[in-house]
Amino acid sequence: MNKRFGGSWPLLFALSLVGVLSVFAGVPAWQAALGWFFLVGLTLVGDHRPEPETNPSEAEDETRDPRLLDEISATIDALETPSLLLDQEANVLFQNRASDRLLGALPMGVHVSARLRSPAVLDMVRETLANGRPNQIEHAERLPSQQVYMVRIAPIELKRSGNLGQLYLLCFRDISELRRLDQMRSDFVANASHELRTPLASLRGFIETLQGPAKSDPKAHERFLSIMLDQSTRMSRLVDDLLSLSRLELKANVAPECKVDLVPLLSHVRDSLVPLAEELGVEINLHLPDVPVEVTGDRDELVQVFENLMENACKYGQEGERVDVYLKAAEARPVEVTVVDHGPGIPSEHVPRLTERFYRVSVADSRSKKGTGLGLAIVKHILTRHRARLIVTSEVGKGSQFTVRF
């Protein structure tokens, strides 16, 4: 009876009791029976009405734990790596602040393709959503500047799901600097090989000539041996500069601790370059204060810096016939050494790249002046170790200024 009538049997008992009492109260029996059957019928119909259907998604929403999503979002927001939290349909549930700076603000719930248009990245996302395995791809952005990212997506393994379903984390790791260093290393090896190959080829050619056709020609011996000496000297300078760069890179993060007086140091550098300057027809003028000017540094390395700058000024500013060196040490201002030549100047498009290894404004001009293309790269590395800066300004037809600011 309970199974047939569900939970309505107490009501049926009450209706039967009311019907019996109605007969005793004088109500005709047939009317009491008719009313009883009518009320019982209504009760049975109401008892068999279908129960309202429950929407599974509504039921799921009722049991979903919003705190779990907040906890995951707070963790992702603490990451420095731009990251997006995706659901099973690749919709964005959350983006951290780093991602906001990289991609711009995304409305929550939109598909990831609303901002990411790279077919390779989107294919990777679809593949991971389909098979549940982590995946990564290298992605390059060329505008507004060249940037390279390692884009990775992986499922998040949760001990408690909170009915959130499977979640995925999409991350963007910036590897632009690594790629630039790789490119610089490749260029460096290629350029170094080229610079060494040229004098070696010359030496080999002259040696073969001296052993063959010019074996008994004294004048050819004298001329070829002179050229071979120049080539071997050039190769020796190149090897020395390469070794200097390697040593500087090894101790780039170790700042010097000694005190160096720049007044006698600059005088020493000028005196050592007087023979070269006289040969080129250039005069080096020093403009130094009468008091000591001390900076924290390595004396030998600073000598190398100012030798490079003054020698370059003499060689490439030879037309101006004069090089001026200024040492400024005003109160509460940084110490500055400026080397000024009055030569042809440097076109503005070349100035930002002057400290790159093997970069030359004019390859023919540099080689004719016996340059290795590494001098300013060495200067930059030394000044970086000294926590100093090299500031270059130049105007075509008026000369160039190289300022070391400590």
Side-chain angles (χ1 to χ4, degrees):
M1 178 178 178
N2 291 350
K3 184 176 179 181
R4 178 177 179 82
F5 295 145
S8 303
W9 67 268
L11 180 57
L12 295 176
F13 177 77
L15 290 175
S16 301
L17 183 59
V18 170
V20 172
L21 293 177
S22 300
V23 173
F24 282 106
V27 177
W30 67 270
Q31 291 182 358
L34 184 59
W36 183 84
F37 281 115
F38 179 74
L39 292 175
V40 168
L42 290 179
T43 302
L44 293 177
V45 171
D47 211 28
H48 285 78
R49 284 181 302 177
E51 295 183 0
E53 295 183 359
T54 302
N55 190 332
S57 61
E58 293 178 358
E60 182 180 334
D61 288 340
E62 290 176 359
T63 59
R64 176 176 291 177
D65 185 0
R67 292 174 299 178
L68 178 59
L69 184 58
D70 292 341
E71 292 172 4
I72 298 173
S73 300
T75 303
I76 297 174
D77 203 31
L79 300 176
E80 293 183 0
T81 305
S83 304
L84 298 173
L85 181 64
L86 308 180
D87 63 12
Q88 300 175 77
E89 304 298 328
N91 297 319
V92 179
L93 298 181
F94 179 76
Q95 69 173 147
N96 63 1
R97 283 170 287 186
S99 172
D100 191 10
R101 291 191 295 269
L102 175 65
L103 303 173
L106 285 170
M108 296 303 97
V110 302
H111 195 271
V112 69
S113 61
R115 184 56 53 87
L116 293 176
R117 303 301 174 87
S118 168
V121 174
L122 295 177
D123 288 343
M124 179 194 69
V125 171
R126 281 191 290 268
E127 182 179 344
T128 297
L129 294 181
N131 58 33
R133 290 194 296 268
N135 206 345
Q136 65 181 22
I137 191 173
E138 190 172 302
H139 171 64
E141 290 284 350
R142 304 190 183 279
L143 295 174
S145 61
Q146 177 75 20
Q147 295 291 326
V148 184
Y149 297 94
M150 184 62 70
V151 185
R152 185 177 190 273
I153 184 171
I156 299 177
E157 303 296 337
L158 298 174
K159 291 184 178 179
R160 57 188 182 93
S161 67
N163 282 337
L164 293 176
Q166 181 62 61
L167 302 179
Y168 299 86
L169 187 64
L170 182 65
C171 302
F172 298 79
R173 183 164 60 92
D174 193 344
I175 58 172
S176 305
E177 190 62 27
L178 293 177
R179 289 294 172 264
R180 277 193 284 268
L181 290 174
D182 288 343
Q183 185 62 44
M184 288 176 60
R185 190 177 296 111
S186 299
D187 293 344
F188 175 71
V189 172
N191 290 327
S193 301
H194 175 74
E195 294 293 332
L196 289 170
R197 189 183 297 114
T198 302
L200 283 173
S202 298
L203 288 173
R204 181 176 179 177
F206 288 125
I207 291 172
E208 291 175 349
T209 303
L210 290 174
Q211 288 178 335
K215 187 174 183 179
S216 303
D217 187 347
K219 292 184 178 179
H221 285 193
E222 183 179 355
R223 182 164 58 91
F224 289 164
L225 287 173
S226 175
I227 297 174
M228 291 169 65
L229 178 61
D230 287 342
Q231 294 295 332
S232 61
T233 303
R234 174 187 169 192
M235 197 160 45
S236 178
R237 286 198 308 269
L238 179 60
V239 172
D240 289 342
D241 285 349
L242 289 173
L243 291 175
S244 294
L245 274 176
S246 297
R247 286 193 296 267
L248 289 170
E249 288 176 343
L250 287 176
K251 54 182 180 180
N253 297 323
V254 181
E257 299 178 351
C258 299
K259 291 292 184 180
V260 179
D261 186 353
L262 293 179
V263 175
L265 185 145
L266 292 172
S267 298
H268 166 74
V269 172
R270 192 272 309 269
D271 293 342
S272 67
L273 291 175
V274 165
L276 173 66
E278 291 179 348
E279 181 183 342
L280 296 173
V282 178
E283 182 182 3
I284 303 176
N285 302 315
L286 296 182
H287 307 270
L288 308 177
D290 297 328
V291 296
V293 178
E294 290 188 339
V295 296
T296 302
D298 183 295
R299 188 182 187 280
D300 292 338
E301 290 183 1
L302 291 178
V303 166
Q304 193 173 6
V305 165
F306 296 116
E307 277 184 348
N308 266 297
L309 295 180
M310 290 188 200
E311 184 177 345
N312 284 348
C314 291
K315 289 180 178 178
Y316 300 101
Q318 182 179 0
E319 296 176 8
E321 300 180 351
R322 167 173 118 252
V323 171
D324 293 301
V325 181
Y326 299 89
L327 173 58
K328 300 177 182 178
E331 186 71 24
R333 293 182 62 84
V335 174
E336 291 185 351
V337 179
T338 302
V339 179
V340 182
D341 69 64
H342 304 276
I346 304 169
S348 58
E349 64 269 19
H350 295 288
V351 171
R353 301 189 60 188
L354 288 177
T355 56
E356 293 182 15
R357 300 176 183 185
F358 297 111
Y359 186 81
R360 296 179 173 93
V361 176
S362 170
V363 175
D365 196 28
S366 175
R367 288 181 177 172
S368 67
K369 299 179 186 300
K370 301 179 180 179
T372 63
L374 293 173
L376 290 179
I378 292 174
V379 168
K380 177 185 176 182
H381 276 75
I382 293 175
L383 295 182
T384 299
R385 179 171 179 255
H386 282 69
R387 310 300 187 259
R389 294 177 58 200
L390 178 65
I391 303 169
V392 183
T393 57
S394 184
E395 187 175 349
V396 176
K398 294 187 177 181
S400 305
Q401 295 186 12
F402 288 77
T403 300
V404 175
R405 178 178 294 168
F406 291 91

